[in-house]
């Protein structure tokens, strides 16, 4: 199946909340329609009630018209019968003249004396009777226009107020949908992370994964919260303006349409160049997060081995790379995006002036002042959404780059999830010709063949790299064998999901992980199947109650990140109690006593003697003194079992186990002496 592009996948996420988005866009359409009524109202107001006053007037008996020297007159465009005496109110700049008869309004003023006005009409001069009006006399012609003007202004204000309500709901709905989209995306990402195999987390630095869940999804959130609204609003607003331009003047509308392909071409150019810069910036930022995470995690070792300068150097290299590309991105934006809109605005107005200059010279088409104002207003408005869209191009490319990284994570093959309960194991474990390699053909285990009966305690010993921990990783299904089978009670572990298989297996690692919360929540893992009483009993069984009951809130004592307020031994006891509280049929101890003092180790050994009855226990041993009571001991070397038996029989063979025991015994004697 062909993978979808980042844009299509981002769009698909938006479709989850398409109803909310569609309602928001409908509100936007109404708001744009109401707002764009302004130029049409202004055109009507100017042409009909301001410049339209300069017109021909017909004498009438209707006393609602304009009164002049005892007679009433109506504008010729507002009366059906034109058989009365006519006068013309002629305007030249800021001066008004009252002329006898019907005079062409397109005529040009030449000169005036007290009773005669000379005009130029189509290259010929004409003289008409008339005189210049004073300001007070002109106002009598405007008195009837005041109420319509006020009415139109009130209508426009009302429409703007209604539009503001639609804009509010548009903004609210689009941002609500945007936040829901990113909430779902983060949920999907986090849920998918839980399904990824352990190998993924071994290969990927934690900081890079963290950056994808936090920084990258935040950048995508900005896409939906800001960019979606800006581009949706801008597109609809521009469409509305083009419709208005075509209604007012088709030629101007066609000229303005040239801007659309220019904008589309520019966005494609920006996507290619700006997209490259943003991908490098986001990737470098991810590496910076990984570097910071590693520095914080290993700060003790960094300071202990005086590696601060090296770590600062590595960080500064990444920081400088991020700054360099961010500067390139800023320079690219400054030189193009904002200048582009200004350039297009200026070119558009030049074309506008040339067009109307040509119309004026031609003289065949009359351009009213209202039409001119409306067209200028609309063209000026056209560049507002263009400017906003250009300003969001950088954010758009950041979101696209982040989306690509997030979807790359989501494309990582996860594991099937199945939590359906299975019967408790009896506990027989068999490795049947098991071979395993972390890397191709570099086998850590080779044809491993052994069995552990239910209820037995088996220990695995060997030098570093012999494959001890790998056996536990395979049994717990952090990995699966390359060859061979692992059987529990005769059933291949791959016949169950990993969640099912782990239901009856407990594990205690050498380096225990303590979660933020309370002591009890760390034992129960917030699983309702583990009661408070069972958790406390497990803590007491391992002897952890001795230090817990000295704490102010005892078992409800808050635990900080990683449980750093506890000693290594105390953290290990908590981890041990966690495993025991779930009462596993099979218990894995991976070097669980390696970092524990002798007194704490003694408490664990005592607890084990009670708890291992009816439970299969597998121990990876660092201290051979802790496994002397094991039913079986397997000695590993380079991924193969070279010896097996119990403590006594292995010593009697005087083989590898005997050498290891003698070596540890000698060290202990030296330490004691």
């Amino acid at each position: 199946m062909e993978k979808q592009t980042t844009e299509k996948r981002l769009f698909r996420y938006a479709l989850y909340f398409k109803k909310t988005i569609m309602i928001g866009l409908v509100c936007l359409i109404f708001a744009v329609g109401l707002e764009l009524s302004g130029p049409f109202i202004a055109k009507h107001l100017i042409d009909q009630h301001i410049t339209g006053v300069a017109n021909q007037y017909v004498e009438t008996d209707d006393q609602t018209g304009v009164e002049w020297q005892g007679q009433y007159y109506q504008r010729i465009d507002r009366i059906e019968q034109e058989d009365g005496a006519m006068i013309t109110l002629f305007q030249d700049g800021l001066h008004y003249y009252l002329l006898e008869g019907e005079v062409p309004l397109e005529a040009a003023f030449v000169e005036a004396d007290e009773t005669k006005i000379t005009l130029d009409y189509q290259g010929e001069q004409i003289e008409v009777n008339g005189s210049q009006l004073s300001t007070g006399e002109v106002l009598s012609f405007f008195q009837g226009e005041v109420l319509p003007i006020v009415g139109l202004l009130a209508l426009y204000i009302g429409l703007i107020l209604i539009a503001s309500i639609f804009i509010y709901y548009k903004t609210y709905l689009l941002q609500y949908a945007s936040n829901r989209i990113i909430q779902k995306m983060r949920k999907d990402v986090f849920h998918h992370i839980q399904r990824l195999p352990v190998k993924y987390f071994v290969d990927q630095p934690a900081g890079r994964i963290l950056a994808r869940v936090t920084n990258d999804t935040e950048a995508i959130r900005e896409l939906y919260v800001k960019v979606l609204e800006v581009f949706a609003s801008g597109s609809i607003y521009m469409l509305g303006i083009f419709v208005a331009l075509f209604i007012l003047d088709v030629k101007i509308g066609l000229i303005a349409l040239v801007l659309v392909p220019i904008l589309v071409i520019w966005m494609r150019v920006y996507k290619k160049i700006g997209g490259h810069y943003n991908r490098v910036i986001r990737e470098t930022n991810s590496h910076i997060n990984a570097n910071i995470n590693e520095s914080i995690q290993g700060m003790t070792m960094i300071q202990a081995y005086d590696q601060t300068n090296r770590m600062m150097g590595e960080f500064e290299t990444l920081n400088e790379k991020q700054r360099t590309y961010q500067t390139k991105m800023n320079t690219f934006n400054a030189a193009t995006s904002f200048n582009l809109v200004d350039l297009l605005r200026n070119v558009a107005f030049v074309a506008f002036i040339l067009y109307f200059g040509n119309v004026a010279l031609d003289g065949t088409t009359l351009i009213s002042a209202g039409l001119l104002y409306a067209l200028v207003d609309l063209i000026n408005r056209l560049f507002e959404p263009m400017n906003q869209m250009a300003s969001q191009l950088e954010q758009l490319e950041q979101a696209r780059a982040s989306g690509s990284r997030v979807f790359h994570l989501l494309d990582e093959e996860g594991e099937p999830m199945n939590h359906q309960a299975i019967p408790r194991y009896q506990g027989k474990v068999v490795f049947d010709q098991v071979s395993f390699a972390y890397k191709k053909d570099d086998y850590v285990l080779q044809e491993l063949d052994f069995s552990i009966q239910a209820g037995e305690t088996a220990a695995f010993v060997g030098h570093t790299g012999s494959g001890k921990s790998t056996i536990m990783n395979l049994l717990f299904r952090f990995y699966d064998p390359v060859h061979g089978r692992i059987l529990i009670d005769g059933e291949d572990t791959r016949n169950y999901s990993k969640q099912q298989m782990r239901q009856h297996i407990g594990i205690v690692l050498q380096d225990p992980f303590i979660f933020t919360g309370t002591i009890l929540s760390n034992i129960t893992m917030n699983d309702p199947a583990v009661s408070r009483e069972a958790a406390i009993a497990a803590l007491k069984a391992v002897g952890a109650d001795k230090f817990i009951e000295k704490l102010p809130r005892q078992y409800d004592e808050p635990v900080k990140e990683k449980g750093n307020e506890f000693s290594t031994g105390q953290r290990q006891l908590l981890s041990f109690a966690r495993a025991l509280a779930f009462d596993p049929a099979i218990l894995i101890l991976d070097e669980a006593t390696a970092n524990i003092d002798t007194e704490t180790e003694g408490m664990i050994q005592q607890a084990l003697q009670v708890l291992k009855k009816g439970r299969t226990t597998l121990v990876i041993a660092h201290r051979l003194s802790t496994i002397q009571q094991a039913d079986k001991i397997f000695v590993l070397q380079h991924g193969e079992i070279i010896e097996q038996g119990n403590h006594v029989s292995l010593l009697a063979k005087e083989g590898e186990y005997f050498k290891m025991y003698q070596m540890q015994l000698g060290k202990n004697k030296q330490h004691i002496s």
Side-chain angles (χ1 to χ4, degrees):
M1 180 179 176
E2 184 181 355
K3 290 185 178 179
Q4 292 182 320
T5 63
T6 300
E7 292 85 348
K8 287 182 178 178
R9 296 179 74 169
L10 290 170
F11 178 73
R12 191 176 66 185
Y13 263 94
L15 291 180
Y16 284 110
F17 304 96
K18 58 180 178 293
K19 182 177 179 181
T20 303
I21 293 174
M22 290 303 297
I23 295 174
L25 293 179
V26 169
C27 290
L28 174 62
I29 292 171
F30 278 108
V32 168
L34 292 170
E35 189 175 343
L36 290 180
S37 66
F40 289 91
I41 291 175
K43 175 183 178 299
H44 183 79
L45 187 149
I46 292 170
D47 287 346
Q48 293 297 318
H49 304 290
I50 297 178
T51 60
V53 173
N55 214 321
Q56 290 101 3
Y57 290 80
V58 178
E59 184 179 350
T60 178
D61 295 332
D62 187 353
Q63 297 184 2
T64 60
V66 177
E67 183 181 4
W68 177 254
Q69 295 181 348
Q71 298 293 328
Y72 291 94
Y73 295 87
Q74 286 282 3
R75 268 173 47 179
I76 193 170
D77 56 349
R78 295 177 180 175
I79 191 171
E80 294 180 0
Q81 296 181 350
E82 303 178 8
D83 53 356
M86 297 185 67
I87 59 175
T88 300
L89 182 65
F90 186 85
Q91 181 182 5
D92 176 43
L94 297 177
H95 303 289
Y96 286 86
Y97 301 87
L98 189 62
L99 310 177
E100 293 181 1
E102 183 178 359
V103 179
L105 298 175
E106 311 86 71
F109 177 81
V110 177
E111 61 180 0
D113 55 26
E114 292 183 358
T115 59
K116 296 287 185 180
I117 308 297
T118 304
L119 303 174
D120 184 289
Y121 182 64
Q122 296 181 350
E124 296 182 6
Q125 290 192 353
I126 56 175
E127 285 188 352
V128 293
N129 296 325
S131 61
Q132 183 175 347
L133 300 181
S134 66
T135 302
E137 290 172 329
V138 173
L139 285 178
S140 63
F141 285 87
F142 279 92
Q143 285 177 352
E145 309 300 328
V146 174
L147 284 178
I149 289 174
V150 171
L152 287 172
L153 293 176
L155 173 64
Y156 182 60
I157 292 172
L159 293 176
I160 290 299
L161 290 175
I162 297 172
S164 67
I165 297 173
F166 282 110
I167 289 173
Y168 166 78
Y169 280 106
K170 175 268 297 184
T171 303
Y172 172 80
L173 290 170
L174 291 183
Q175 296 211 358
Y176 171 80
S178 300
N179 283 308
R180 288 296 305 277
I181 290 168
I182 209 62
Q183 179 190 33
K184 176 172 175 51
M185 181 177 288
R186 280 182 173 155
K187 178 182 176 182
D188 290 348
V189 172
F190 192 78
H191 181 262
H192 187 69
I193 287 174
Q194 311 305 310
R195 298 176 60 242
L196 292 176
V198 171
K199 184 179 183 300
Y200 180 82
F201 300 97
V202 173
D203 297 338
Q204 295 287 333
R208 293 181 65 182
I209 300 174
L210 178 66
R212 295 189 184 187
V213 181
T214 55
N215 296 359
D216 287 332
T217 53
E218 181 63 21
I220 298 172
R221 189 185 75 85
E222 292 299 309
L223 165 71
Y224 289 115
V225 172
K226 291 183 180 178
V227 181
L228 172 66
E229 182 178 355
V230 168
F231 274 81
S233 300
S235 300
I236 292 175
Y237 198 67
M238 288 178 66
L239 178 63
I241 291 173
F242 279 119
V243 170
L245 286 173
F246 273 97
I247 291 173
L248 293 174
D249 192 301
V250 175
K251 290 182 179 179
I252 287 291
L254 291 172
I255 293 172
L257 272 181
V258 177
L259 298 173
V260 175
I262 294 175
L263 188 62
V264 171
I265 293 170
W266 169 238
M267 290 179 68
R268 290 186 174 275
V269 171
Y270 193 100
K271 176 182 177 181
K272 183 176 181 179
I273 300 175
H276 168 68
Y277 288 158
N278 271 302
R279 280 191 296 273
V280 175
I281 290 169
R282 302 306 299 182
E283 189 65 29
T284 306
N285 190 57
S286 175
H287 285 295
I288 288 174
N289 281 337
N291 183 276
I292 293 172
N293 183 69
E294 184 179 17
S295 297
I296 293 172
Q297 297 288 341
M299 188 57 68
T300 303
M301 290 295 102
I302 291 171
Q303 294 186 2
Y305 286 91
D306 194 20
Q307 294 295 302
T308 52
N309 289 336
R310 181 180 68 84
M311 296 303 294
M312 287 180 64
E314 292 178 0
F315 177 82
E316 190 53 36
T317 300
L318 292 170
N319 201 24
E320 177 63 21
K321 182 179 179 181
Q322 205 270 355
R323 184 202 65 80
T324 300
Y325 274 89
Q326 189 64 63
T327 301
K328 288 181 179 181
M329 190 74 229
N330 293 340
T331 304
F332 181 62
N333 279 329
T336 53
S337 293
F338 306 107
N339 287 346
L340 174 74
V341 176
D342 289 338
L343 175 65
L344 291 177
R345 186 197 303 270
N346 293 331
V347 170
F349 275 110
V350 168
F352 182 80
I353 292 169
L354 289 174
Y355 171 75
F356 280 104
N358 182 64
V359 169
L361 290 174
D362 185 8
T364 57
T365 305
L366 179 63
I367 302 297
S368 69
L371 176 61
L372 192 64
Y373 173 85
L375 291 172
V376 171
D377 186 16
L378 287 170
I379 291 175
N380 193 50
R381 288 175 185 238
L382 181 62
F383 290 94
E384 292 178 15
M386 289 181 65
N387 193 42
Q388 292 174 355
M389 291 163 72
S391 69
Q392 291 297 321
L393 284 176
E394 180 181 8
Q395 187 67 54
L396 175 63
E397 289 309 316
Q398 286 181 6
R400 185 182 281 117
S402 294
S404 177
R405 288 160 48 79
V406 169
F407 292 131
H408 185 269
L409 173 60
L410 288 172
D411 288 335
E412 290 288 338
E413 187 175 354
E415 299 173 339
M417 304 286 282
N418 184 355
H419 296 275
Q420 185 176 355
I422 62 174
R424 179 183 172 86
Y425 302 138
Q426 292 180 5
K428 182 180 179 181
V429 176
V430 175
F431 273 55
D432 181 17
Q433 297 294 310
V434 171
S435 297
F436 177 76
Y438 290 103
K439 297 180 181 178
K440 187 177 181 181
D441 298 330
D442 185 13
Y443 284 93
V444 181
L445 299 179
Q446 299 185 44
E447 297 184 355
L448 218 58
D449 207 359
F450 65 84
S451 64
I452 304 168
Q453 298 302 314
E456 285 187 339
T457 297
F460 297 84
V461 299
H463 298 295
T464 301
S466 61
K468 303 185 300 296
S469 294
T470 302
I471 291 174
M472 302 308 171
N473 287 338
L474 292 177
L475 181 58
F476 216 71
R477 285 201 70 190
F478 289 141
Y479 302 91
D480 283 323
V482 177
H483 303 293
R485 300 181 302 162
I486 299 175
L487 308 174
I488 297 180
D489 297 338
E491 188 75 30
D492 193 324
T493 56
R494 282 177 288 203
N495 292 340
Y496 298 112
S497 72
K498 294 184 178 181
Q499 296 74 35
Q500 288 177 310
M501 205 220 73
R502 294 166 185 162
Q503 287 174 5
H504 305 298
I505 302 179
I507 189 168
V508 179
L509 301 174
Q510 178 180 351
D511 186 17
F513 192 90
I514 305 300
F515 296 90
T516 303
T518 65
I519 290 177
L520 271 181
S521 70
N522 266 280
I523 306 306
T524 65
M525 300 295 287
N526 296 315
D527 189 332
V530 181
S531 66
R532 178 184 179 90
E533 293 73 19
I536 293 174
L539 288 164
K540 289 181 176 179
V542 301
D545 57 316
K546 294 179 180 178
F547 75 87
I548 292 176
E549 292 182 355
K550 295 177 182 178
L551 300 173
R553 300 180 64 178
Q554 297 188 350
Y555 298 98
D556 296 306
E557 181 73 11
V559 177
K560 298 177 184 176
E561 185 180 9
K562 294 185 179 180
N564 289 329
E565 66 267 44
F566 300 126
S567 68
T568 302
Q570 290 171 337
R571 291 199 300 271
Q572 192 61 279
L573 286 176
L574 294 178
S575 179
F576 196 79
R578 177 193 297 158
L580 297 179
F582 283 82
D583 190 26
I586 299 173
L587 180 63
I588 299 174
L589 304 176
D590 188 354
E591 302 272 16
T593 61
N595 298 327
I596 294 178
D597 57 80
T598 306
E599 181 182 354
T600 305
E601 180 186 327
M603 288 189 294
I604 290 179
Q605 292 297 331
Q606 291 175 10
L608 274 174
Q609 295 304 315
V610 177
L611 295 168
K612 69 182 182 181
K613 290 183 180 180
R615 178 178 289 110
T616 304
T617 306
L618 289 80
V619 182
I620 293 178
H622 178 71
R623 300 178 185 176
L624 301 185
S625 59
T626 64
I627 60 168
Q628 294 181 16
Q629 303 302 318
D631 298 300
K632 291 180 180 178
I633 299 173
F634 298 97
V635 183
L636 295 169
Q637 188 176 78
H638 303 306
E640 297 179 349
I641 297 175
I642 59 173
E643 294 177 9
Q644 59 180 300
N646 59 29
H647 177 70
V648 175
S649 65
L650 289 174
L651 287 179
K653 290 181 181 179
E654 296 189 3
E656 187 66 26
Y657 181 82
F658 177 80
K659 294 177 184 178
M660 295 169 62
Y661 185 75
Q662 289 293 107
M663 186 180 299
Q664 288 194 11
L665 187 63
K667 288 181 180 180
N668 291 337
K669 286 181 177 179
Q670 291 176 12
H671 179 71
I672 293 171
S673 63

